[in-house]
Amino acid sequence: MKSPLKDARYKNLSKGFIKSIIPPSSTVNTYGIFSGHTELSLSRSGITINSFTNKDVIYQFWECLCEDPLRLHSLLVDPSFKFAGEDEFMVLQESLPLYNDSYIRSCLLFLLNRCSSTGQISCGEFEYKNYNISALNQLRIFKKPKHFNIFKYSCEIKDHINADRQADFVLFPNLIFNYNLFDRGKAIGYDTYLYNHRELREIMKASPTPMMLVYNKHSNIFSFFKDFNLHLVDQNGKIASDQNNCEEIIVTNF
């Protein structure tokens, strides 16, 4: 079962390797869900995924999708659900959080996602070609995996991870590395996760729970996480030995 959402920022190549190091009966807490490609794939292999987000619109979409995907599909294909194209697209990018009805807002999130060049909701250039019958059918045929759960949290990420010791693993499946030099005072989009990577490093260092951070390739990861285990994944999802041939880097504390 594929995710109906797209996200051009990440390739989700590490799913196979992650499955190989996590026993099927394990419980994994994941953070930063958006498209859910990795989370859904792991849950279909018998791993219990408890996926946490602090973003209202993302949590609501996944809650509606798991509860009644046919309702989302029927609303979007209804003749009264009209979309005016690029001009309305830009207005909806800004106004999406203002919609109160959970299913209408989730339908609009799906529409914006499929019409965005990157898949991001609050930004991205208009690209209509991915909003089509095939994409809508992904909603219609979606079935919630038995081992997939979605939750919302509102505390600091460190406090949330430290408060839950029941999980066998903690996973951040989609990360982009930077030194957070310009984060102070930076506006955070209603659909954007902003992580302090130094904080994640410290959490992982202190955590008794096995943790995995999956990053897009970045040359500075090797020095920044030099005290941890690094696994390089190539474009085919295989373990790579050469830094130049990898696409993703998995950082683990075990």
Side-chain angles (χ1 to χ4, degrees):
M1 182 62 59
K2 293 182 179 180
S3 169
L5 298 182
K6 69 168 189 171
D7 190 348
R9 297 169 296 174
Y10 307 102
K11 298 181 179 179
N12 296 283
L13 298 168
S14 299
K15 301 188 295 289
F17 177 73
I18 293 171
K19 288 177 186 178
S20 74
I21 62 175
I22 297 180
S25 59
S26 300
T27 296
V28 180
N29 286 355
T30 74
Y31 291 88
I33 187 171
F34 183 70
S35 69
H37 288 292
T38 292
E39 294 91 335
L40 291 174
S41 178
L42 295 177
S43 69
R44 289 194 299 270
S45 67
I47 298 168
T48 296
I49 296 295
N50 294 325
S51 196
F52 294 92
T53 179
N54 60 353
K55 302 296 180 181
D56 285 332
V57 296
I58 296 175
Y59 169 73
Q60 194 171 69
F61 172 81
W62 281 101
E63 188 178 44
C64 291
L65 179 66
C66 291
E67 180 182 74
D68 196 347
L70 289 177
R71 184 178 176 189
L72 291 174
H73 178 267
S74 65
L75 285 169
L76 284 161
V77 298
D78 190 288
S80 65
F81 196 93
K82 296 179 180 179
F83 177 51
E86 185 170 3
D87 290 339
E88 187 177 5
F89 172 77
M90 291 184 288
V91 172
L92 288 173
Q93 283 182 319
E94 296 181 2
S95 62
L96 179 67
L98 302 179
Y99 287 82
N100 293 321
D101 184 280
S102 60
Y103 276 86
I104 294 297
R105 188 162 76 167
S106 296
C107 285
L108 292 173
L109 183 147
F110 175 79
L111 184 152
L112 289 171
N113 168 260
R114 301 302 303 191
C115 291
S116 168
S117 57
T118 62
Q120 292 171 275
I121 310 304
S122 60
C123 59
E125 296 181 2
F126 181 71
E127 190 176 78
Y128 193 69
K129 65 180 181 179
N130 290 309
Y131 184 63
N132 50 41
I133 292 176
S134 176
L136 287 164
N137 280 338
Q138 290 300 317
L139 285 178
R140 184 178 57 81
I141 66 175
F142 182 85
K143 288 182 173 59
K144 176 186 176 297
K146 178 181 177 181
H147 300 289
F148 174 78
N149 307 292
I150 181 78
F151 302 98
K152 185 174 179 295
Y153 71 97
S154 56
C155 61
E156 294 294 327
I157 189 75
K158 178 180 180 180
D159 296 334
H160 194 271
I161 292 174
N162 290 337
D164 189 348
R165 298 298 189 190
Q166 301 303 310
D168 299 305
F169 296 87
V170 171
L171 169 65
F172 288 75
N174 297 121
L175 293 169
I176 296 176
F177 181 78
N178 64 69
Y179 282 106
N180 302 105
L181 298 177
F182 305 105
D183 288 349
R184 185 179 296 275
K186 184 177 182 180
I188 302 175
Y190 59 79
D191 62 337
T192 303
Y193 297 102
L194 181 63
Y195 294 113
N196 184 305
H197 301 283
R198 287 182 174 81
E199 181 181 36
L200 289 181
R201 184 176 63 183
E202 293 308 309
I203 292 171
M204 192 162 62
K205 184 181 297 184
S207 176
T209 304
M211 290 184 62
M212 293 169 281
L213 312 179
V214 182
Y215 283 95
N216 285 356
K217 178 184 177 180
H218 191 293
S219 60
N220 291 336
I221 288 176
F222 299 97
S223 58
F224 190 84
F225 289 104
K226 59 183 176 61
D227 296 325
F228 298 91
N229 296 314
L230 304 181
H231 309 273
L232 314 183
V233 178
D234 67 17
Q235 62 181 354
N236 299 311
K238 305 296 184 182
I239 291 299
S241 57
D242 187 347
Q243 297 180 15
N244 296 320
N245 293 329
C246 77
E247 295 291 334
E248 293 179 347
I249 304 170
I250 307 171
V251 183
T252 70
N253 62 350
F254 61 97

